[in-house]
Amino acid sequence: MDSFGIGISGLNAAQRAFDIIGNNIANAATDGYHRQRLNLTPAYSSQVGTVIVGGGVDIAGVTRMIDGFLQKETFRQNSLLEQISQELATLRTVENSFQELSEEGGLSSVIDNFFNALQDLSAHPTESIWQNQTLRSAETMAAKFRTLGEFLGTLENQIALEAENTMEQINALAHKIAELNHSIKGQEISGAQAYNLRDQRDQCITELSKLISVDTQSREYGVVDVSASGTPIVTGTSAFELEIGLKDDVTMGITVAGESNYNIEVQGGRLGGLLTLKNDLLDDIQDDLDNLARTIVQQINQYHVQGVGSEGSFDELTGWSMTSGDLADFDPPVSDGSIYIRVTDTSTGAVTRTPIPVDVSTDSLTTIAAAITAVPGISASVYDLRLHIQADPNYTFDFLPGVLPRPTNSDFTGATSPPTISVSGIYTGTDNQTFTFTVSGTDSVGNGTLQIAVTDGEGNTVTTLNVGSGYAAGDRLDLGNGIKIALSTGDLANGNTFEVEALADTDTSGVLAAAGINTFLSGSSASDIAVCSGISAVPERIATALSEDVTNNINVLRMAALKDRPINSLDSMTPGEYCHLLSTDIGQQISIRQIHQENIEAMVQNLANQQGEISGVNINDEAARLLIFEQMFKAMSKYLSTLQTSLSTVMEII
C-alpha cells in the first residue's frame, strides 16, 4: 500500500503546485503581490529488509518571496521621492507666479519701471504727464506685490488644507493596517499562512510611505508595528489617530489625537513635503517678499514725508489708522528724535520752523498732536487712531528741510548798522547741524579784512568766508554743503555771531512715515502695499521738491537713487539685486530638487527591479513550472494506473 501512498502524495503535491502557480499568474499584475513558491521535501522513508523504500513527497510549506531589507529601503525611498516631488511641483508654481522670464515682465521689471519713472519725473517735476506716469508705475508695482503676496497666502492655506486631507488618508491606512494585522494574526495562530493578507497589508504600508516616512517592526504571527515619522500609529491590532495643527500658532506639526506636543520635524512622504513648504520654504519666500515690499515703502516714505509736490504746502494732512496710539507699539518702530514742522503765514510770507521732541517711552499720538497744536498757525488731533494736522486760515505747513531765509539766532553787539543776512539752499549733509558763523575783524561789509569763520555743531571748522575787500554786498557765498549766504551792506564787529540751522532729516524719529503723514506708499507687507489715497487722487502731491521752489527735483532724485543704493535691511543689496536673488533662490531650490528627484527615481527604479527579480511573477517561469508539475501529475497518474493493473493481475492469478 506504500506504493499507492507515494502516488497519492505526488498527486497532492502537483495539485497544490497548480493552485500556487495559478495564484501567482492571476496576481502577476497585482500591485504589492509577492510571488509564492511551493516547498517540497522527500517523505519519510521505510526499510523493508535491506531495502530502504521512499515514502513519496511531503509539502513542507509555501514560501513568500520577499526581502525585508529591500522592502524597508523601498519604503524609505518612496517617502523621499514623494516629498521631493511635492516640494518641486509647488516651487515650480511659485516660480511661474513671479513671471521673471515672461514677456510681460516680473516683479523685478515693475520695480525697475517704478524707479525709472521717478527718474523721468526728476526731469519734469511739475508736469502732470510725468506725475501720472509715476503714479501708474507705483500702482503697477504695488499690484504686482499684492498679487504675489495674496498668491503665497492662498497657497499656504491650500497646503494646510491638503495637509489635513493627507492626514485623513494616513489615519485611514493606519486603521486598515491594524485590521489586516488582526486578520493575519487570527489565521496564523490557527496554523494557516495568510500570505495574501500580508501582501495587502504591506501594500497599505507602501501607500502609507508615500504619505509620510514610516518604520516597521515585525512581531510574531505575521503582525507588523508601524511608526510614522517617529510616532507609533499601529501597534499590533490597534491604530492610533494623528492630527495636524499649529505649534505656537506658527509652525505646523503632527501629534497623537488629543495631545498638544506637536512634532514639526516631519520628514518624508507627501505630508513631509507639505509641512516643509508651509514651515520653511514658502515661509522664507513670503518673508523675503514682505521684507522687499516693506523696505521699499519705508525708504520711499522716509524721503517723501519731507518734501512737497507741485501743489505746494499743505492745508491739512491725515495719516492712516494705527493699531495703537502708543509710539512704543508702532511698526515699523520709531525712535527718540524730533519732528520739524515749517509753518508759513501766507498773508505776510513769514516762515517759522518748530521742532517737536519725540520720546518713544512716554509719547503717544495724542501727546504729539498736543505738541503740534501748540505751534502757532496749525492744530492737530487724533481720531480713530489717525493723526490729523490742520492749518489755520491763511497758513500752510510742511516738513521741508530747506534752510530758513534768515539766521535762527544772531548777536551783532557792537555793530551800529548790521547787514541783513540772507540764507538759501538745501543742506547736502547726512546729519542735522547748527552752523555757527563768527565774524573776525571790524569794518563794513565789502571793506577791510572782514572774515566769517563757519563751524559745525562739534566745533569743527567748515570754511572761512571773505566778506571784506573784494566782496560785493548781495553776492552769495557757498559753504560747500548746499547752503549759501549773502550779506547786504552794513557793518560788523569782531566776535559777532549768527547761526543757521541745517536739516538733513526733518523727522529723525520716523513718526511721520510710521503714522502715514505725507507718505507715498502704504502697507507693511507684500499683501497690503498700495499707493496712498491722497497721491492717487492728486498726483501733484508726489513730493519732488525739498524747498519752497517746487520746481526743484532734489527729493525725487533722492527717491530715484534708491534703485542703485545698497540697503541694510536688504542684506546690503539694492532692491533690484534683492528681488533678483529672491527669484534665483527659487530657481536654485527647484534645480537642486530636480536633480535630487532624478537620483531618487533612479534608485526607486533600481529597487523595483531588484524586488521584481525576487518577488515579481514571471509568466514564462510560471508556465515552465506549470509544465513540470503537469508532467508530474500525468506521470503519477500513470504510475497509479500501472499499480492498479498490476494488482488486478495478481488478484486474478490468486
Side-chain angles (χ1 to χ4, degrees):
M1 295 301 292
D2 286 345
S3 299
F4 281 100
I6 291 172
I8 291 172
S9 71
L11 289 176
N12 287 337
Q15 186 61 52
R16 185 66 184 278
F18 290 155
D19 293 340
I20 292 174
I21 293 171
N23 189 51
N24 285 341
I25 295 173
N27 286 283
T30 301
D31 289 338
Y33 179 77
H34 295 81
R35 177 169 55 88
Q36 298 174 15
R37 184 180 66 190
L38 181 66
N39 298 323
L40 300 176
T41 60
Y44 173 75
S45 301
S46 60
Q47 185 171 348
V48 180
T50 60
V51 179
I52 296 178
V53 181
V57 64
D58 280 341
I59 299 174
V62 178
T63 299
R64 179 170 171 253
M65 307 303 293
I66 185 171
D67 184 321
F69 174 79
L70 191 63
Q71 186 179 48
K72 284 191 175 184
E73 184 63 17
T74 300
F75 292 158
R76 192 175 74 87
Q77 295 300 331
N78 277 338
S79 289
L80 292 175
L81 180 59
E82 288 297 321
Q83 176 171 350
I84 291 295
S85 298
Q86 179 66 59
E87 293 173 5
L88 184 58
T90 304
L91 287 173
R92 280 175 173 158
T93 302
V94 174
E95 183 183 46
N96 290 336
S97 71
F98 274 77
Q99 296 179 323
E100 290 301 313
L101 300 179
S102 67
E103 293 181 0
E104 295 82 4
L107 179 61
S108 59
S109 177
V110 297
I111 292 174
D112 285 344
N113 290 342
F114 169 64
F115 284 113
N116 290 340
L118 288 172
Q119 187 66 46
D120 292 341
L121 179 60
S122 69
H124 315 275
T126 62
E127 296 184 23
S128 61
I129 185 172
W130 304 103
Q131 293 167 343
N132 286 317
Q133 175 183 283
T134 302
L135 172 62
R136 287 192 300 271
S137 66
E139 289 175 338
T140 301
M141 179 186 68
K144 184 63 176 179
F145 268 114
R146 290 196 303 273
T147 298
L148 288 173
E150 291 165 3
F151 168 78
L152 290 174
T154 300
L155 188 58
E156 286 198 18
N157 292 335
Q158 291 174 344
I159 285 174
L161 180 60
E162 190 60 35
E164 292 179 358
N165 293 336
T166 302
M167 184 58 73
E168 291 180 3
Q169 298 176 46
I170 290 171
N171 288 330
L173 284 170
H175 282 287
K176 189 172 182 180
I177 291 169
E179 291 172 1
L180 287 168
N181 271 345
H182 178 77
S183 299
I184 292 167
K185 183 177 181 180
Q187 289 190 22
E188 299 203 359
I189 283 179
S190 64
Q193 293 176 321
Y195 287 158
N196 285 356
L197 289 177
R198 287 195 186 198
D199 284 342
Q200 292 180 40
R201 191 264 319 281
D202 289 352
Q203 182 61 22
C204 287
I205 297 175
T206 298
E207 294 302 318
L208 183 63
S209 71
K210 295 178 181 179
L211 301 178
I212 193 171
S213 62
V214 298
D215 187 32
T216 59
Q217 182 65 45
S218 297
R219 298 173 59 184
E220 59 181 352
Y221 301 119
V223 173
V224 170
D225 292 342
V226 182
S227 296
S229 201
T231 303
I233 59 172
V234 177
T235 301
T237 59
S238 300
F240 302 95
E241 284 200 359
L242 300 179
E243 65 181 18
I244 200 162
L246 294 177
K247 181 178 181 180
D248 300 327
D249 297 325
V250 178
T251 52
M252 185 172 286
I254 65 171
T255 185
V256 176
E259 298 185 6
S260 58
N261 54 327
Y262 289 103
N263 174 19
I264 61 175
E265 302 298 329
V266 178
Q267 293 296 318
R270 188 177 188 188
L271 185 64
L274 291 170
L275 265 60
T276 299
L277 286 164
K278 173 69 173 65
N279 296 339
D280 298 319
L281 299 178
L282 291 184
D283 197 46
D284 289 345
I285 294 171
Q286 182 77 70
D287 286 347
D288 288 343
L289 186 65
D290 287 343
N291 183 42
L292 179 58
R294 182 169 52 251
T295 298
I296 291 176
V297 169
Q298 292 174 2
Q299 293 294 317
I300 289 293
N301 286 346
Q302 175 187 355
Y303 290 136
H304 195 274
V305 296
Q306 301 179 59
V308 294
S310 60
E311 194 182 52
S313 299
F314 312 107
D315 296 321
E316 64 175 327
L317 286 173
T318 302
W320 47 58
S321 181
M322 307 296 293
T323 57
S324 170
D326 294 333
L327 300 191
D329 297 330
F330 277 23
D331 185 22
V334 297
S335 60
D336 294 346
S338 296
I339 301 170
Y340 293 86
I341 299 182
R342 207 179 73 109
V343 178
T344 302
D345 184 340
T346 56
S347 61
T348 64
V351 179
T352 59
R353 176 182 283 134
T354 305
I356 306 295
V358 175
D359 185 334
V360 175
S361 62
T362 59
D363 277 329
S364 65
L365 281 180
T366 302
T367 61
I368 295 296
I372 294 173
T373 300
V375 177
I378 57 174
S379 61
S381 60
V382 177
Y383 65 93
D384 192 26
L385 292 178
R386 296 172 182 264
L387 177 62
H388 177 76
I389 305 175
Q390 176 78 51
D392 295 342
N394 298 321
Y395 284 90
T396 61
F397 67 93
D398 54 52
F399 310 96
L400 292 171
V403 293
L404 296 179
R406 297 288 182 266
T408 51
N409 288 299
S410 59
D411 179 6
F412 292 115
T413 302
T416 305
S417 179
T420 299
I421 311 296
S422 300
V423 187
S424 62
I426 298 172
Y427 179 50
T428 58
T430 57
D431 298 313
N432 291 351
Q433 289 281 0
T434 297
F435 293 101
T436 301
F437 297 73
T438 304
V439 176
S440 174
T442 302
D443 211 327
S444 59
V445 172
N447 295 296
T449 59
L450 278 178
Q451 289 186 325
I452 299 179
V454 184
T455 56
D456 61 19
E458 287 74 41
N460 301 313
T461 299
V462 176
T463 188
T464 299
L465 305 175
N466 174 39
V467 293
S469 178
Y471 174 75
D475 284 353
R476 294 184 180 276
L477 299 172
D478 195 341
L479 273 63
N481 54 15
I483 299 176
K484 298 178 181 180
I485 68 167
L487 285 73
S488 68
T489 56
D491 60 86
L492 292 169
N494 188 53
N496 286 169
T497 62
F498 59 92
E499 294 179 348
V500 172
E501 187 178 52
L503 300 179
D505 186 354
T506 55
D507 181 18
T508 58
S509 66
V511 169
L512 293 178
I517 296 295
N518 192 30
T519 48
F520 191 160
L521 301 171
S522 65
S524 59
S525 68
S527 299
D528 61 4
I529 183 175
V531 176
C532 292
S533 58
I535 300 295
S536 295
V538 186
E540 292 80 5
R541 281 185 52 184
I542 297 176
T544 55
L546 285 181
S547 67
E548 289 180 317
D549 177 12
V550 296
T551 61
N552 81 71
N553 62 358
I554 296 175
N555 201 38
V556 70
L557 281 175
R558 294 200 305 178
M559 291 188 285
L562 290 170
K563 176 182 179 181
D564 301 314
R565 180 179 300 169
I567 302 172
N568 290 337
S569 60
L570 299 182
D571 299 329
S572 298
M573 289 182 279
T574 68
E577 290 171 343
Y578 190 85
C579 183
H580 179 69
L581 181 62
L582 173 58
S583 300
T584 54
D585 276 350
I586 297 172
Q588 187 176 22
Q589 294 277 10
I590 291 173
S591 179
I592 292 172
R593 280 163 176 75
Q594 190 165 359
I595 294 172
H596 198 182
Q597 182 188 51
E598 292 171 356
N599 292 337
I600 296 178
E601 283 176 341
M603 191 173 296
V604 168
Q605 184 60 50
N606 184 44
L607 290 170
N609 292 339
Q610 294 182 54
Q611 198 168 37
E613 292 175 1
I614 297 172
S615 304
V617 176
N618 187 307
I619 299 296
N620 293 330
D621 289 346
E622 297 301 315
R625 292 177 62 81
L626 186 62
L627 288 174
I628 292 172
F629 284 104
E630 181 184 10
Q631 293 300 318
M632 174 181 169
F633 189 88
K634 289 180 179 180
M636 295 310 298
S637 298
K638 184 66 174 177
Y639 170 73
L640 287 172
S641 177
T642 301
L643 287 178
Q644 180 64 38
T645 301
S646 299
L647 183 59
S648 296
T649 301
V650 171
M651 293 302 293
E652 289 175 359
I653 293 173
I654 294 175

